[in-house]
Structures are given as C-alpha cells and as structure tokens.
Amino acid sequence: MGQCGITSSKTVLVFLNLIFWAAAGILCYAGAYVFITYDDYDHFFEDVYTLVPAVVIMAAGALLFLIGLIGCCATVRESHCGLKTFVLILLLVFLTEVAVVVLGYIYRAKVEDDVNGSIHKVYEEYNGTNSNAQSRAIDYIQKQLQCCGIRNYSDWRDTRWFETSKNNSVPISCCNVEVGGLCTGSLTRHEELYQEGCEALVVKKLKEIMMYVIWIALTFAAIQILGMLSACVVLCRRRNDPAYQLLITGGTYA
C-alpha cells in the first residue's frame, strides 16, 4: 500500500511538472496581456502601480519554469535535496500568487477612482490629430469599446476640441459602424453615434482584466498545493524507508 502511494505521488509529481511548464507560459502570457492592455489605456491611469500584479505574475511564471525543470529531475532521481528545493521554490511561487490575488483585489477596487480622476483630463486634451497621444487613446477606446464621450456623446460639447471645431460634431470614432450610412459625427444625427459613454466601459474592461489575472493565479496556486503535498509524501516515505523502488527502473539514489 505504501509503495503504491509513493508511485502514485511520484506519477502525480511528474504530471504536475509538465503542467507547471504549461502554467509558466500561461502566466507570462497573462502578464504580457496586462502590459499590452495598459499601453492602450495608460492615459486613463494615474497610478502606475496598477501594473504590479502583472510584474509579479510574470516573475511567478519564470519561477514555475524553473520549478518544472527541478521537479522532473528530482522526482525521477528521487533526490532528497532536489525535492526539498522543489518544495521551497513551489512554496515561494505559491506565496507570490497569493500576493498577486491580494494586489489584484486592491487595484481592482482602485480602478474606478483612478479612471474617474483622469478621463476628464484626457478628453480635455483631445485635439483630433494623430500626433497627439490623448487623441489616439480616445479614438482607440471609442472604436474598440463602441462608446462615445465620458457618460454619453453629449459630453463632447464641454470639450475644448468641440469649441474650436465649431461644427457641432463629435469625432468620427464615435460613429456606430453597425448603423451604416455616411456618418460624419454630426450631433444632429445622433442616432448614428454610439449611445453609451466610455467611462463605465473602460472601468469594466480593466476590472475584467484584473479578475482574469486573479483567477489564473488562484487556479495555479491550487495546483501548486497538490504539487507540494505530493513532494512531501515522497520525501517522508524516503526518510522512513529509503529502500523502495525508483519510478524508473535502474535509477540511483541521490
């Protein structure tokens, strides 16, 4: 029964190490996705520390790749030192992912205040030229999120750009592509414009991304608990009975 438990634990460990390699890639992708998204929405953030969870989760991904390498070698060779190192690094990554979850919830709660405090400034600096970073950012989110203005299209009347253009229209990026026709952004034909404001949609998008990172961290944290338990079973069994057979026939003890 004991030998069966050991073999099962070692088999689980080998399988988990393969999962850890895959997880390393997924975590790094998740972190990179947050960075790319932040680049698109950075004008709506005042606090750059919102990126901290993304940095941490990418570091966890790099450590997971190392864990997979150490874990496979230590499990196959049944290296006492290797398995201890495996458990310690796995514990470190587990604590890192717990930190990601905590930070994710903290910054997720701050997203709305952050966006609310900066979006008015960004709209005020819009000038409609491609050389202006704020203009590019606003045109991008209005097309991407299919929205217009801060709360609705009428908010454009209060902007400096509307006053200087004097044509009673909003940017072309406000035009609803599903309506069709030749939309010029004119407020006299407001039915051709996106009706929803961008502020709520930007907040919603950023919160979804943060929750995406949180769920990934939680999922792999749960898998790592199983990995630590399996490694501890192998370590305890080896200490009590060092004569059990290796998973791979012909292996040697470390």
Side-chain angles (χ1 to χ4, degrees), residues 70 74 79-91 231 235 239:
I70 293 174
S79 169
H80 189 74
C81 179
L83 284 172
K84 275 189 172 181
T85 303
F86 172 76
V87 172
L88 287 174
I89 299 179
L90 203 54
L91 179 60
L235 279 170
R239 181 169 32 186

Side-chain angles (χ1 to χ4, degrees), residues 164-226:
T164 55
S165 62
K166 298 185 185 331
N167 58 6
N168 195 36
S169 66
V170 297
I172 299 299
S173 56
C174 279
C175 290
N176 190 336
V177 294
E178 295 179 358
V179 172
L182 185 61
C183 176
T184 61
S186 174
L187 287 175
T188 58
R189 301 171 63 181
H190 58 84
E191 67 279 359
E192 296 180 348
L193 308 175
Y194 292 123
Q195 303 299 305
E196 195 168 357
C198 295
E199 184 178 38
L201 292 179
V202 169
V203 170
K204 180 183 177 183
K205 176 72 173 179
L206 295 173
K207 283 187 174 183
E208 285 176 353
I209 292 169
M210 203 63 71
M211 186 54 70
Y212 165 72
V213 171
I214 289 170
W215 276 112
I216 287 178
L218 282 173
T219 301
F220 290 119
I223 295 173
Q224 285 155 28
I225 291 175
L226 181 58

Side-chain angles (χ1 to χ4, degrees), residues 56-68:
V56 175
I57 205 171
M58 289 182 76
L63 277 175
L64 266 183
F65 182 81
L66 180 62
I67 285 173

Side-chain angles (χ1 to χ4, degrees), residues 5 57 83 97-98 144 168 181 228:
I57 205 171
L83 284 172
E97 289 177 343
V98 170
Q144 193 75 11
N168 195 36
M228 286 187 284

Side-chain angles (χ1 to χ4, degrees), residues 37 40-42 44 115 119 122-123 134-150 173 194 197-199 201-202:
T37 304
D40 293 330
Y41 294 85
D42 62 341
F44 303 97
V115 172
I119 194 168
V122 179
Y123 269 83
Q134 287 79 8
S135 298
R136 292 197 305 270
I138 289 174
D139 286 335
Y140 173 81
I141 66 160
Q142 291 192 153
K143 289 178 180 177
Q144 193 75 11
L145 301 181
Q146 297 187 346
C147 57
C148 183
I150 299 174
S173 56
Y194 292 123
C198 295
E199 184 178 38
L201 292 179
V202 169

Side-chain angles (χ1 to χ4, degrees), residues 9-31:
S9 295
K10 290 164 66 178
T11 303
V12 168
L13 268 179
V14 171
F15 178 70
L16 284 176
N17 286 318
L18 297 177
I19 292 179
F20 290 156
W21 276 333
I26 293 173
L27 288 175
C28 288
Y29 170 80

